[in-house]
Amino acid sequence: MYRFISNQRSFQSPSNFQKKKNNNNNNNIVIIVSEKHTSLTISSSFQHILLLFINRTQFHRFAECVSSVTMNAKKSRNVKENGDTYEDSILMTLIGNGEDLGPMVRHSFEMGKPESLLHQLKNVVKKKEVEIEDLCKLHYEEFIVAVDELRGVLVDAEELKGELASDNFRLQEIGSTLLVRLEDLLESYSIKKNVTEAVKMSKLCVEVLDLCIKCNKHVSDGQFYPALKAIDQIEKNYMKNIPVNTLRNAIEKRVPVIKSHIERKVCGEINEWLVHIRSTSKDIGQKAIGFASFARQRNEDMLSRQKKAEEESSLGLGDFTYSLDVEEIDENSVLEINLMPLYRAYYIHICLGIGDQFRQYYYKNRMLQLSSDLQVSSVQHFLGSHQTYLAQIAGYFIVEDRVLRTAGDLLLANQVEAMWETAVAKLTLTLENQFSQMDTASHLLLVKDYVTLLGATLRQYGYDVGPILEALTNSRDKYHELLLAECRLQIRDAIINDECKQMVMKESEYQSNVLSFLLQTSDIMPAFPYVAPFSSMVPDCCRIIRSFIKDSVNYLSYGGQTNFFDFARKYLDKLLINVLNDILLSTIKSSNTGVSQAIQIAANISFLERACDYFLQTAAKQCGIPARIIARPQTTLAAKMVLKTSRDEAYLALIDLVNHKLTKYLSLMENVNWIIDDVAQHKSEYMNEVVIYLDTILSTAQQILPIDVMYKIGTGALEHVNNSFIDTLLSDSLKRFTENAVMGINSDLKNLEQFADEKFHSTGLSEIYKGSFRTCLLELRQLVNLLLSSQPENFMNPVIRMKNYNTLDYKKIGIICEKYKDSPDGLFGSLANRGARQSNRKKSLDVLKRRLKEFN
């Protein structure tokens, strides 16, 4: 039967009709009038009518008719005929609703009752046939018209069939020719496709081979990065698509070989670069340290000019102006470090996929180079090789800093830090060891200066140079010990070689020897030639001390500490106290030092004490300390007070030397005849020597020593003469002396008193001190007056004694009186005086002796 498919109650075109035979071989026509397959079964009696009816012109009318039949069929579903079963009603409802009967059919077969379902379906078909017949009867005339129209369609169909047959024949003829051509064309297309594929494969192979040629050329030219780029392009874009297996296999075998060759070549180049960069690190370090030295000198000059301008401005000596120094960058000052081989090697290793391996290789080799660079040469002395040694280290870390900043992740910050810590530990140990072996301060200063330049250089690159500078600080005492030892030798030589004579200077010498050290005693320029109150040792020692200050500050500066003025002052005190002061005291106390030398040394100490202010100012200026700071009372040198004390000790030592010399002259009293018969008619020889010596000493002291010191020397000397006479009269070696001897002492004493008065007034002491040098001889004068007195017993009178003999001691007078005889024992003296009447003076002297014995 035929099934006509309709969409929403409008029939589709005839071309969409489908003819199907049912399984029962019934020649029925099934018309599907909806998308849900609602169907109407038409009996076989209508088949011929429908075939005649259906044509192109009557199709729509037929569709309307069938649609009307369908609508009436749906309306009649709700009406049950007599004899219908309940199952038939359900089946009719399902078919009317266009629902799928598959589940019901499946259920029937599963229950084993397909006959009942088939019977129900046949009943439904019968009912539909009745409905169609009724419908056809109702529209009989319209069917007749449709059948007529279908007959016309059949005629047209026959004509069309003939035309189609003829057209088909002609088409077969033409198609055969075209088919042959089509086969040729398809064959040509196949050949073209094969040729195109071959050309494409050839181009691919050519491109691959071209890349291989380029890669070989790059490798032969040493251009490894382009070679690896070509290899990478082959592997990524061509390797899987190479159509020729032989070529692909050859390339796959050669690529690892080429990569291995490139790796070996690059490793060789980087090894050469490592050797080269190590050899050039010294030059790089020296150049960088030279820049640091130049910058330091420039800063010092600028600071010096600034301080000078400020001082002149504060004193009103000039206009205080500011200027801007524009520094021109010198192209030669840029450090040229060729890192291109390293960059290229690192990038090539990254391209090879072994970047980590190269990083470890580079770090390991650089650490080995660092260990080698940190070894001190055993062939050459460190003093001669320290610059090369330190420059090599500086260059090494300048290169590593450049690598860290420009080579990506080739070198990590913690790796550079590990390198630096290793270098610092080794370098500080080396410096401490070398410093401990040095025995010359200048050598240690040279090394220290270059180490500070090394620190200044590497500090610019972010390295912590504190531990290295700390090693310099630890050697500070060592350096100053050497420097003090050298200065001790220089000062000792200056003092030993000094003739201890006053310097006679010209005007130019006055500037360099006096004004430059602030040793002038007056602001008025003296007449020339100028006779200085000090000897040549003073300016010589000042120069030595000034050089010490400069060397000390040079070592202390540019180190770890910023305020090093206190250290400079500390070591300056050590020099002045432990070296200069000790040498001066030992010299003045030496047995080889004469009185004139002692006088000059004592005067020199006074001027060296005055020069302490200059030394402090020089140290402060070298340290960059303003003058107003050192002007404070608490900022002074302890050596100034020590030198002042030493000056007083020198004065005492000078007095001792003078007294010792006087003792030698007074020792000539041993040759005096104490029991002389006649009074001496001329001065004693020893007293002439004493007077001449005292005159010389006091004259010299007046020229170069302070007036109070001269006064002390004079009083000390005369007191010593006084005591020497008293001691001589008290000594056990002198058994007795006569009045004539006392009268000789009186004569000498008068000469000495006269000299003392004249010197006291001529030196100007009378304007400052009361009395005279005569008072120093008062005890001897009172003793002589007592022995020559007509009434010696008056000594026991308290009033007279306090007035005339207040300096005399009872015990001493008792001893001296026992030795005193008012007349000599001549050859006939005792016989001449025997039985004679004792003089009143003798009786008075005897009374004094007796009363002194009673008193004692």
Side-chain angles (χ1 to χ4, degrees):
M1 64 181 183
Y2 293 93
R3 181 182 296 266
F4 297 97
I5 300 174
S6 173
N7 185 11
Q8 295 181 352
R9 297 184 183 182
S10 61
F11 288 105
Q12 299 178 3
S13 62
S15 61
N16 292 332
F17 283 93
Q18 299 178 358
K19 296 180 180 181
K20 295 183 179 181
K21 294 285 184 74
N22 60 5
N23 295 330
N24 296 327
N25 294 320
N26 293 326
N27 294 324
N28 297 325
I29 297 176
V30 180
I31 304 174
I32 301 175
V33 295
S34 69
E35 292 179 353
K36 296 181 179 181
H37 304 288
T38 301
S39 61
L40 295 176
T41 304
I42 303 176
S43 62
S44 60
S45 59
F46 287 100
Q47 293 178 6
H48 296 288
I49 298 173
L50 290 174
L51 290 173
L52 295 173
F53 178 76
I54 295 175
N55 57 30
R56 294 175 180 173
T57 59
Q58 299 298 324
F59 176 76
H60 293 291
R61 294 182 61 191
F62 177 75
E64 292 177 356
C65 179
V66 174
S67 176
S68 175
V69 170
T70 305
M71 292 297 294
N72 293 329
K74 288 182 179 180
K75 291 180 181 180
S76 63
R77 287 188 196 118
N78 296 327
V79 179
K80 292 184 179 181
E81 296 181 358
N82 293 331
D84 290 345
T85 63
Y86 180 71
E87 291 81 1
D88 294 340
S89 178
I90 293 174
L91 187 60
M92 287 291 292
T93 301
L94 292 175
I95 293 173
N97 293 335
E99 296 181 0
D100 186 14
L101 300 180
M104 181 177 291
V105 173
R106 188 184 305 109
H107 179 70
S108 298
F109 279 94
E110 289 177 355
M111 297 298 294
K113 298 178 181 182
E115 296 81 3
S116 175
L117 178 61
L118 183 61
H119 178 72
Q120 292 175 1
L121 290 174
K122 288 180 179 181
N123 291 335
V124 171
V125 169
K126 289 178 181 181
K127 291 179 181 180
K128 294 298 180 181
E129 287 178 351
V130 173
E131 293 178 355
I132 292 172
E133 289 177 358
D134 294 339
L135 184 62
C136 290
K137 290 177 181 180
L138 182 62
H139 300 281
Y140 177 75
E141 295 180 356
E142 296 177 357
F143 276 108
I144 294 301
V145 175
V147 170
D148 291 338
E149 292 178 353
L150 286 175
R151 287 178 180 177
V153 170
L154 290 176
V155 174
D156 294 338
E158 288 294 333
E159 293 177 355
L160 181 61
K161 183 177 179 182
E163 293 176 357
L164 290 173
S166 61
D167 291 340
N168 181 52
F169 179 75
R170 289 195 302 273
L171 182 63
Q172 291 295 331
E173 291 180 351
I174 297 171
S176 298
T177 305
L178 293 176
L179 184 60
V180 174
R181 293 181 178 179
L182 178 60
E183 290 178 353
D184 295 339
L185 180 62
L186 291 176
E187 185 178 359
S188 299
Y189 279 154
S190 178
I191 294 172
K192 179 184 178 182
K193 181 179 179 181
N194 293 335
V195 171
T196 302
E197 188 69 22
V199 170
K200 184 177 179 182
M201 294 170 59
S202 300
K203 287 182 178 180
L204 184 63
C205 292
V206 168
E207 291 177 0
V208 172
L209 292 175
D210 189 28
L211 289 175
C212 292
I213 293 172
K214 289 181 179 180
C215 178
N216 290 333
K217 185 177 184 301
H218 292 321
V219 171
S220 61
D221 294 341
Q223 299 177 355
F224 300 123
Y225 173 67
L228 287 176
K229 192 174 181 181
I231 292 175
D232 183 68
Q233 189 175 359
I234 291 173
E235 289 180 335
K236 289 183 178 180
N237 301 333
Y238 296 98
M239 187 65 75
K240 295 181 180 179
N241 300 325
I242 296 176
V244 182
N245 293 333
T246 304
L247 179 60
R248 183 173 61 250
N249 294 334
I251 292 175
E252 287 177 351
K253 291 179 180 179
R254 293 299 300 172
V255 164
V257 176
I258 294 174
K259 287 184 177 180
S260 177
H261 173 73
I262 291 175
E263 181 183 355
R264 289 194 303 272
K265 284 289 186 181
V266 171
C267 287
E269 290 181 359
I270 200 62
N271 289 335
E272 293 177 359
W273 179 85
L274 287 171
V275 174
H276 170 73
I277 200 65
R278 184 186 181 190
S279 63
T280 58
S281 293
K282 179 186 69 175
D283 298 332
I284 295 171
Q286 288 177 342
K287 200 171 185 180
I289 291 175
F291 295 152
S293 177
F294 174 76
R296 185 173 76 178
Q297 185 63 41
R298 184 185 58 209
N299 293 335
E300 288 179 353
D301 295 341
M302 182 177 63
L303 184 60
S304 177
R305 292 196 303 269
Q306 179 182 355
K307 289 182 178 179
K308 183 177 180 181
E310 290 177 355
E311 291 176 358
E312 291 179 353
S313 176
S314 62
L315 297 175
L317 299 178
D319 296 332
F320 188 63
T321 59
Y322 295 90
S323 62
L324 177 63
D325 293 336
V326 180
E327 180 183 358
E328 296 182 359
I329 299 176
D330 186 8
E331 295 181 358
N332 295 326
S333 65
V334 179
L335 296 176
E336 296 180 358
I337 304 175
N338 183 18
L339 298 180
M340 290 304 298
L342 179 65
Y343 300 153
R344 182 169 61 251
Y346 179 48
Y347 194 74
I348 288 173
H349 278 79
I350 291 177
C351 294
L352 292 173
I354 52 176
D356 291 337
Q357 178 181 338
F358 182 78
R359 283 192 289 269
Q360 293 298 325
Y361 179 80
Y362 175 79
Y363 178 71
K364 179 180 178 181
N365 280 273
R366 288 297 281 168
M367 283 295 291
L368 292 175
Q369 287 185 347
L370 177 61
S371 300
S372 178
D373 292 341
L374 290 172
Q375 298 297 325
V376 180
S377 175
S378 58
V379 178
Q380 190 176 6
H381 192 272
F382 186 74
L383 181 65
S385 63
H386 75 278
Q387 293 188 358
T388 303
Y389 175 76
L390 297 175
Q392 183 73 27
I393 296 174
Y396 178 93
F397 283 101
I398 291 173
V399 171
E400 293 310 306
D401 176 75
R402 184 73 64 86
V403 171
L404 176 65
R405 290 186 291 107
T406 61
D409 58 348
L410 171 60
L411 197 61
L412 302 179
N414 58 354
Q415 292 177 325
V416 177
E417 187 68 22
M419 292 178 178
W420 177 245
E421 290 177 356
T422 302
V424 167
K426 179 64 176 179
L427 182 58
T428 52
L429 184 62
T430 300
L431 290 176
E432 290 175 355
N433 185 29
Q434 294 297 329
F435 285 163
S436 64
Q437 297 176 6
M438 291 183 180
D439 55 359
T440 305
S442 59
H443 295 173
L444 201 149
L445 180 60
L446 285 175
V447 177
K448 176 265 172 189
D449 184 65
Y450 211 78
V451 172
T452 56
L453 288 176
L454 170 70
T457 300
L458 294 182
R459 187 186 290 113
Q460 299 175 358
Y461 294 90
Y463 294 102
D464 180 17
V465 297
I468 299 177
L469 300 180
E470 187 66 24
L472 300 180
T473 303
N474 296 335
S475 301
R476 182 177 58 207
D477 291 336
K478 166 74 173 180
Y479 169 76
H480 283 89
E481 287 177 3
L482 296 175
L483 191 60
L484 287 171
E486 293 177 2
C487 291
R488 180 183 295 275
L489 295 176
Q490 296 173 7
I491 291 174
R492 179 178 287 111
D493 292 339
I495 294 176
I496 291 174
N497 296 328
D498 185 21
E499 297 179 354
C500 291
K501 294 181 180 179
Q502 294 175 262
M503 293 184 68
V504 180
M505 308 177 193
K506 299 178 182 180
E507 186 173 358
S508 59
E509 295 173 339
Y510 182 83
Q511 175 68 32
S512 61
N513 293 325
V514 179
L515 296 180
S516 60
F517 302 116
L518 305 180
L519 299 177
Q520 65 273 21
T521 57
S522 175
D523 295 336
I524 301 174
M525 187 66 70
F528 295 98
Y530 171 71
V531 180
F534 50 81
S535 62
S536 61
M537 64 164 283
V538 173
D540 290 343
C541 289
C542 287
R543 292 187 184 93
I544 295 171
I545 295 170
R546 182 175 61 186
S547 176
F548 172 86
I549 294 171
K550 182 179 179 181
D551 292 340
S552 176
V553 173
N554 283 341
Y555 190 89
L556 294 173
S557 59
Y558 309 108
Q561 66 278 358
T562 56
N563 184 14
F564 49 88
F565 173 67
D566 292 336
F567 293 101
R569 183 174 59 179
K570 167 189 170 183
Y571 291 115
L572 178 58
D573 271 331
K574 278 189 176 182
L575 173 66
L576 295 175
I577 296 172
N578 299 338
V579 178
L580 178 63
N581 183 69
D582 289 350
I583 294 176
L584 289 172
L585 289 179
S586 61
T587 302
I588 203 170
K589 293 179 180 180
S590 174
S591 59
N592 298 326
T593 303
V595 177
S596 60
Q597 293 175 329
I599 293 175
Q600 190 61 65
I601 293 174
N604 291 344
I605 293 176
S606 178
F607 281 95
L608 290 172
E609 176 191 352
R610 180 182 299 178
C612 285
D613 294 335
Y614 165 77
F615 298 147
L616 186 61
Q617 292 175 12
T618 302
K621 186 176 181 181
Q622 292 282 338
C623 297
I625 302 299
R628 65 179 183 275
I629 300 298
I630 62 173
R632 298 173 182 175
Q634 62 271 22
T635 308
T636 184
L637 289 174
K640 189 172 184 179
M641 184 59 65
V642 174
L643 286 174
K644 184 177 180 180
T645 304
S646 299
R647 181 195 62 185
D648 296 337
E649 292 183 10
Y651 293 156
L652 295 176
L654 174 59
I655 293 173
D656 291 339
L657 287 175
V658 172
N659 294 339
H660 181 70
K661 189 66 175 179
L662 288 174
T663 301
K664 290 183 178 181
Y665 290 128
L666 293 174
S667 64
L668 297 176
M669 287 190 298
E670 296 177 357
N671 300 326
V672 174
N673 185 3
W674 294 101
I675 54 174
I676 190 172
D677 294 335
D678 298 323
V679 178
Q681 300 298 324
H682 55 275
K683 296 180 181 178
S684 302
E685 181 181 355
Y686 69 88
M687 187 53 64
N688 286 334
E689 295 290 342
V690 169
V691 171
I692 294 172
Y693 178 73
L694 288 176
D695 182 60
T696 302
I697 293 301
L698 292 176
S699 298
T700 304
Q702 182 182 0
Q703 294 177 5
I704 62 178
L705 292 180
I707 195 168
D708 58 332
V709 178
M710 186 187 67
Y711 177 76
K712 291 179 180 179
I713 293 174
T715 55
L718 293 175
E719 287 177 357
H720 182 70
V721 172
N722 176 82
N723 295 332
S724 296
F725 273 101
I726 300 297
D727 292 341
T728 299
L729 295 176
L730 293 173
S731 65
D732 296 336
S733 61
L734 181 61
K735 303 301 182 181
R736 57 182 297 190
F737 60 92
T738 62
E739 181 180 3
N740 293 334
V742 175
M743 292 178 67
I745 294 174
N746 183 43
S747 176
D748 293 336
L749 182 59
K750 286 180 180 180
N751 292 332
L752 188 58
E753 288 174 340
Q754 182 181 358
F755 165 78
D757 290 339
E758 291 176 357
K759 209 64 180 175
F760 189 77
H761 291 284
S762 64
T763 55
L765 292 174
S766 58
E767 299 176 1
I768 301 174
Y769 298 95
K770 295 181 180 181
S772 175
F773 283 146
R774 182 189 290 269
T775 56
C776 299
L777 303 170
L778 185 57
E779 183 180 9
L780 181 59
R781 168 48 61 194
Q782 290 179 357
L783 176 60
V784 171
N785 290 342
L786 175 62
L787 295 178
L788 297 179
S789 174
S790 59
Q791 296 293 328
E793 62 180 328
N794 290 338
F795 176 77
M796 302 306 296
N797 187 336
V799 177
I800 296 175
R801 187 177 67 251
M802 288 301 297
K803 181 180 179 181
N804 299 325
Y805 311 110
N806 59 336
T807 61
L808 299 178
D809 181 68
Y810 286 99
K811 187 175 182 179
K812 291 180 180 180
I813 295 301
I815 296 172
I816 293 173
C817 288
E818 287 296 329
K819 298 180 180 182
Y820 180 60
K821 304 295 182 180
D822 60 347
S823 60
D825 294 334
L827 184 57
F828 304 102
S830 60
L831 297 175
N833 294 329
R834 187 176 301 167
R837 185 179 179 179
Q838 294 182 350
S839 63
N840 295 331
R841 183 174 178 274
K842 181 174 177 56
K843 290 179 180 179
S844 178
L845 184 59
D846 292 338
V847 172
L848 176 61
K849 291 179 181 180
R850 184 174 63 251
R851 294 183 64 180
L852 287 173
K853 286 181 180 180
E854 295 175 355
F855 180 82
N856 292 330

